[in-house]
Amino acid sequence: RIADGAIHLAKDEGGDCFRLGTAEDSVSARDRLSLEADLREAVEQHAFEVYYQPQVDPVSQELRGVEALLRWRHAERGSVSPVDFIPLLEETGLIVPVGEWVLEQSCQQVQTWIADGYSPIRMAVNLSPRQLMVPGLGRMVRGILERTGLQPELLELELTETTASLTMDAVIEVLHELHAIGITIAIDDFGIGHSWLGRLRQFPIQPLKIDRSFIHGMDQSAGDRAIVEAVVALGHALGLTVVAEGVESERDLDMVRQVGCNLMQGYYYSPAVDAVTMASMMREEAAHRAAA
Ligand code: C2E
Ligand code: MG
Ligand code: MG
């Protein structure tokens, strides 16, 4: 069973690679069965919710965008972290309908905020590798933009390096197609995935989001700081916006300012919050800016 799980993982990542199965996976194998049943139920009962985490300018602290993050409220398990269930959604293919729901929900949310009088805000939504591989992704995204009426310029799609490393011609084509209608493509968790610097040129990407492990590490490790500096330099040389993920402290913020990241996201400013809380943050921010 462990080996089978590893094979599935390898296949899901596009094959032509190996993945190690561990005993840890097998302990959770039983858990996973019940988790999977619960997930299917959650999909039917719409037990998911989208939270939003602000992205701010590290210097002016102005709000520049939000990232949509999926949350699952489970009766017994409490609030389950997406880290624990996204892989399973991906394995089961449920990520396709759930991901589409997240996208529609998030686009609709921006429109609702705008209708409520808030300034238009850019919305970043995560896409899983699995979603990219489904034919008709472009059509699905355009359909959602049409239904919600969201301006494509306000939508950003986040891919991870691993996703991007799939480099399937069809995927590259869709990304260019989405980019052409005004959507922004971001690379998430930059630095921890497969190395594909050479491929950067092939993608119509705009922001690079530096994985939070490097951001925290900067404080302690000259090596991490060097990596972040190099990524910022690389990003800027390519004309990209560079986003720091996981800014948790004043110290992290200082570092992020020093190395010149354009945007930051993290608990220091705010964790992901529900739409109502997000709206009150936008209200405060707008009032603050008007006063300044
Ligand atoms: P991500 O896209 O890199 O999102 C950032 C994660 O870091 C979020 O975890 C966020 O809550 C967390 N985070 C933000 N600031 C801090 C901080 O200062 N310190 C620490 N320690 N963590 C911070 P979350 O919400 O648990 O999501 C985990 C991952 O699950 C996401 O990583 C993303 O890859 C995936 N995910 C979440 N929502 C979706 C979705 O709707 N679709 C897909 N395909 N993946 C999703
Ligand atoms: Mg993300
Ligand atoms: Mg990330």
Side-chain angles (χ1 to χ4, degrees):
R1 196 163 54 212
I2 298 174
D4 196 48
I7 288 175
H8 271 290
L9 255 178
K11 280 186 183 161
D12 273 357
E13 293 182 20
D16 199 19
C17 63
F18 65 86
R19 286 293 164 262
L20 193 65
T22 65
E24 216 171 80
D25 299 335
S26 108
V27 177
S28 60
R30 255 167 293 131
D31 265 5
R32 281 165 59 133
L33 271 183
S34 78
L35 189 62
E36 185 178 334
D38 286 357
L39 270 180
R40 290 192 186 279
E41 213 178 281
V43 172
E44 277 160 27
Q45 301 179 347
H46 308 287
F48 294 110
E49 189 177 358
V50 185
Y51 269 41
Y52 304 93
Q53 185 178 36
Q55 295 183 337
V56 297
D57 181 314
V59 179
S60 66
Q61 307 233 7
E62 274 173 29
L63 186 62
R64 288 290 158 77
V66 292
E67 175 174 4
L69 293 161
L70 186 58
R71 292 293 179 263
W72 175 21
R73 302 249 164 257
H74 187 279
E76 290 117 54
R77 295 177 210 255
S79 177
V80 186
S81 163
V83 180
D84 295 326
F85 67 85
I86 296 260
L88 202 54
L89 282 181
E90 276 176 31
E91 251 171 73
T92 53
L94 288 171
I95 191 67
V96 175
V98 173
E100 185 169 344
W101 176 81
V102 171
L103 186 63
E104 177 137 16
Q105 193 73 18
S106 311
C107 292
Q108 189 52 59
Q109 184 62 63
V110 176
Q111 294 297 74
T112 304
W113 282 330
I114 292 174
D116 288 345
Y118 297 99
S119 328
I121 189 160
R122 186 170 37 77
M123 175 66 71
V125 181
N126 294 282
L127 279 194
S128 92
R130 187 73 175 247
Q131 284 177 281
L132 281 183
M133 279 153 58
V134 174
L137 173 74
R139 203 172 341 114
M140 184 274 275
V141 175
R142 283 196 311 272
I144 286 178
L145 289 176
E146 268 160 36
R147 280 200 295 284
T148 59
L150 184 76
Q151 224 184 299
E153 286 73 19
L154 291 178
L155 181 60
E156 183 166 300
L157 298 174
E158 295 192 1
L159 321 178
T160 61
E161 279 181 274
T162 317
T163 310
S165 73
L166 293 175
T167 60
M168 290 160 47
D169 287 347
V171 170
I172 296 179
E173 212 171 284
V174 174
L175 295 181
H176 279 283
E177 181 196 324
L178 294 174
H179 176 71
I181 61 172
I183 292 170
T184 308
I185 313 286
I187 296 297
D188 204 355
D189 305 338
F190 189 78
I192 58 167
H194 299 238
S195 212
W196 58 283
L197 285 180
R199 306 273 197 192
L200 270 178
R201 285 169 300 157
Q202 267 178 286
F203 292 87
I205 53 164
Q206 314 270 314
L208 279 186
K209 301 187 70 180
I210 307 179
D211 190 70
R212 66 168 181 263
S213 54
F214 299 106
I215 301 298
H216 288 324
M218 272 203 290
D219 199 6
Q220 313 281 339
S221 143
D224 278 352
R225 179 168 172 142
I227 291 174
V228 174
E229 280 174 347
V231 172
V232 172
L234 171 78
H236 287 170
L238 292 169
L240 309 177
T241 302
V242 180
V243 187
E245 301 197 83
V247 173
E248 287 187 357
S249 60
E250 184 92 51
R251 182 98 194 97
D252 289 345
L253 173 61
D254 271 353
M255 292 288 216
V256 159
R257 280 186 184 139
Q258 278 171 35
V259 299
C261 291
N262 306 95
L263 285 178
M264 64 153 182
Q265 227 179 301
Y267 296 164
Y268 178 74
Y269 189 85
S270 168
V273 295
D274 62 41
V276 174
T277 313
M278 189 63 227
S280 66
M281 285 174 60
M282 293 194 288
R283 205 154 46 232
E284 269 170 40
E285 212 254 351
H288 185 80
R289 221 178 323 162

